[in-house]
Amino acid sequence: NYKAGDNIDPSTATATGANAFLAVIYDMSRLTFDINVSEMDVVRVEVGQKVTFTADALDGQEFTGVVEKVNINGTTQNGNTSYPVTVVVDGSGSDLASQGLLPGMSVSASIIVEEIADVLAIPVVKGRKTDKEKFNGAEETYTVECMMHDRKALQAGTSHYFGDGFAKAFDITFTGVDNQPHHPHQTSWGVSTRLIGGIIMTHGDDNGLVLPPRVAPIQAVVLPIAQHKPGVIEAAQALKDRLEKAGVRVKLDDSDKAPGWKFAEYEMRGVPLRVEIGPKDMEKDQCCIARRDTGEKAFVPLAELEGAVAKLLDEIHDNMFAIAKKNLEDNTFAAETWEQVKELIEKNSGGFVHTKWCGARDCELAMKEKAGVTSRCIPLDQSGSTGKCPVCGKDCSTDIIWGVAY
């Protein structure tokens, strides 16, 4: 007779042979919580974005939810304004309590605004660096490791947690709420030109760059064919104006270069789409659109231009990601000994190899000496299984990835 959210009053509840207690009924298939986001960051938060969070009482476990609501009424404290963002955790009908989540737990959450996969079409392995590979002076270094087209690894981006070590070394302090000086804990984020190299080496081919549409400086280039004929330049300009108005980063090339030269030029530059229009296309109220990733061409009615371009840009991104993901999956292996690691790396001219690791620095150095590989990361997603270290043979449970890196 009760539903989620009801309060059960002991004065009205029937207790048969037992004491009655005040209680609240919760629907454990769905939980919500609020996090406060600063005014500088809240502009990037949208409903539906992924949220990862941990619960203080559940060490080593990570959960996911989504942004359900961004509240417009903020609160200001000490000159800083923040806005509550509601996050929902949906168990899809299952009991979240079975995962250990309970109402009232303290949680720490991060909103995933954008991921490398969503923007650069590059799949990554997220993990923590070993003490040997972490940034000097850092307490922890986290990394995203990518596999390039040639199956070598690239440390595409890192973030470092320094604790208060650097603050103490350089005597950096702030005044706390207790009006006393304190050393701040600091982080450093190394996401820079490495990612540009990652784009080139993940997606490029023998004809040049292949740029992901969401970061391409030019998403579409409009090329007039037989532009010396009446109305062609004007028709190409009209297409450029329409695409620009639709939010597409577009360029019109009406230079006197030959069409073949232009085709090769923008193919080399990795422009995702080439939009062509000539006298015959004008007669049929159509244009020809060519994809950089596959080389496929399609004739599109002019009335459908904006929708077709938007759809193709998304399709190109998805296809580029699928190709890169297949390369990663096809060249990721598991091994139990350093000999197996060495054989797999040599046979496949690279790749990622998963093993267990005892955590000893000597064993990590031995993998470099014996198998010719370095540790890429300790994946955040650990299997929880046990095995043996590939060098010393000790029983251990830590998963680690080895590879040959740039």
Side-chain angles (χ1 to χ4, degrees):
N1 298 324
Y2 297 99
K3 63 181 184 298
D6 286 347
N7 291 331
I8 304 175
D9 191 326
S11 63
T12 59
T14 302
T16 56
N19 293 324
F21 297 93
L22 178 64
V24 179
I25 296 176
Y26 289 95
D27 176 4
M28 293 307 298
S29 66
R30 185 179 188 274
L31 293 174
T32 62
F33 62 88
D34 285 347
I35 56 176
N36 291 318
V37 180
S38 72
E39 59 186 333
M40 297 296 292
D41 294 329
V42 76
V43 293
R44 303 176 65 199
V45 177
E46 298 177 359
V47 171
Q49 286 174 335
K50 179 182 175 183
V51 179
T52 61
F53 67 96
T54 57
D56 292 350
L58 302 172
D59 188 37
Q61 296 188 57
E62 186 176 82
F63 306 91
T64 59
V66 295
V67 174
E68 184 181 53
K69 180 181 179 182
V70 182
N71 296 279
I72 61 173
N73 296 318
T75 57
T76 302
Q77 186 176 10
N78 297 326
N80 298 314
T81 303
S82 61
Y83 295 83
V85 173
T86 302
V87 177
V88 60
V89 186
D90 188 356
S92 299
S94 64
D95 184 3
L96 290 171
S98 65
Q99 303 178 37
L101 289 173
L102 295 172
M105 282 185 168
S106 296
V107 299
S108 300
S110 298
I111 299 174
I112 310 300
V113 177
E114 289 179 325
E115 294 193 78
I116 289 176
D118 297 332
V119 180
L120 306 184
I122 300 177
V124 302
V125 178
K126 293 177 281 189
R128 178 171 55 86
K129 286 292 188 180
T130 64
D131 286 344
K132 174 183 173 296
E133 295 290 330
K134 73 181 182 182
F135 186 82
N136 287 337
E139 293 190 14
E140 300 283 357
T141 289
Y142 294 90
T143 180
V144 284
E145 297 287 323
C146 304
M147 185 181 294
M148 301 297 95
H149 194 269
D150 62 358
R151 297 173 294 282
K152 286 187 178 180
L154 177 73
Q155 178 183 290
T158 52
S159 57
H160 315 287
Y161 170 55
F162 296 137
D164 59 3
F166 277 80
K168 288 179 177 178
F170 292 96
D171 195 26
I172 301 170
T173 61
F174 69 96
T175 303
V177 293
D178 57 359
N179 208 33
Q180 298 297 316
H182 297 273
H183 294 290
H185 288 237
Q186 296 174 298
T187 59
S188 170
W189 305 82
V191 178
S192 58
T193 51
R194 280 179 172 267
L195 284 175
I196 298 175
I199 293 171
I200 296 169
M201 294 188 289
T202 299
H203 302 304
D205 60 21
D206 290 342
N207 295 323
L209 296 175
V210 182
L211 295 180
R214 292 169 191 172
V215 294
I218 303 171
Q219 294 174 310
V221 58
V222 178
L223 301 180
I225 307 300
Q227 64 185 49
H228 62 283
K229 294 191 174 181
V232 173
I233 290 290
E234 291 77 9
Q237 181 65 52
L239 296 186
K240 189 252 188 184
D241 293 343
R242 286 173 57 183
L243 290 175
E244 203 167 51
K245 188 175 181 181
V248 178
R249 296 187 293 275
V250 60
K251 174 182 178 178
L252 168 63
D253 188 343
D254 57 358
S255 66
D256 58 2
K257 299 287 188 181
W261 186 94
K262 294 179 183 179
F263 293 171
E265 173 74 4
Y266 293 104
E267 181 179 45
M268 179 184 67
R269 292 180 178 274
V271 176
L273 288 176
R274 187 176 74 235
V275 182
E276 307 165 17
I277 189 165
K280 292 182 179 180
D281 298 312
M282 293 166 60
E283 290 175 4
K284 299 177 181 178
D285 285 329
Q286 67 179 23
C287 63
C288 179
I289 301 181
R291 291 173 55 156
R292 172 63 179 91
D293 61 327
T294 64
E296 297 173 338
K297 289 186 176 183
F299 290 98
V300 175
L302 295 182
E304 301 174 11
L305 175 67
E306 292 87 346
V309 166
K311 182 181 178 182
L312 283 169
L313 290 174
D314 284 340
E315 289 178 358
I316 291 171
H317 172 91
D318 293 344
N319 182 56
M320 291 175 65
F321 179 77
I323 292 172
K325 185 178 180 182
K326 186 177 187 301
N327 182 53
L328 173 64
E329 292 175 345
D330 289 350
N331 295 285
T332 298
F333 313 99
E336 296 181 354
T337 66
W338 69 262
E339 292 92 343
Q340 291 175 349
V341 174
K342 186 175 189 294
E343 181 182 358
L344 285 165
I345 292 293
E346 291 179 349
K347 178 182 177 181
N348 296 280
S349 301
F352 287 166
V353 184
H354 290 245
T355 72
K356 296 298 181 182
W357 179 50
C358 67
R361 184 184 182 93
D362 287 345
C363 289
E364 184 178 359
L365 291 171
M367 288 295 289
K368 171 68 173 176
E369 181 182 346
K370 295 175 180 290
V373 294
T374 57
S375 65
R376 303 320 313 145
C377 70
I378 300 169
L380 297 182
D381 186 11
Q382 291 282 303
S383 66
S385 62
T386 58
K388 294 185 181 297
C389 176
V391 178
C392 68
K394 290 181 180 178
D395 291 335
C396 51
S397 60
T398 300
D399 296 314
I400 193 169
I401 298 175
W402 309 94
V404 177
Y406 279 98

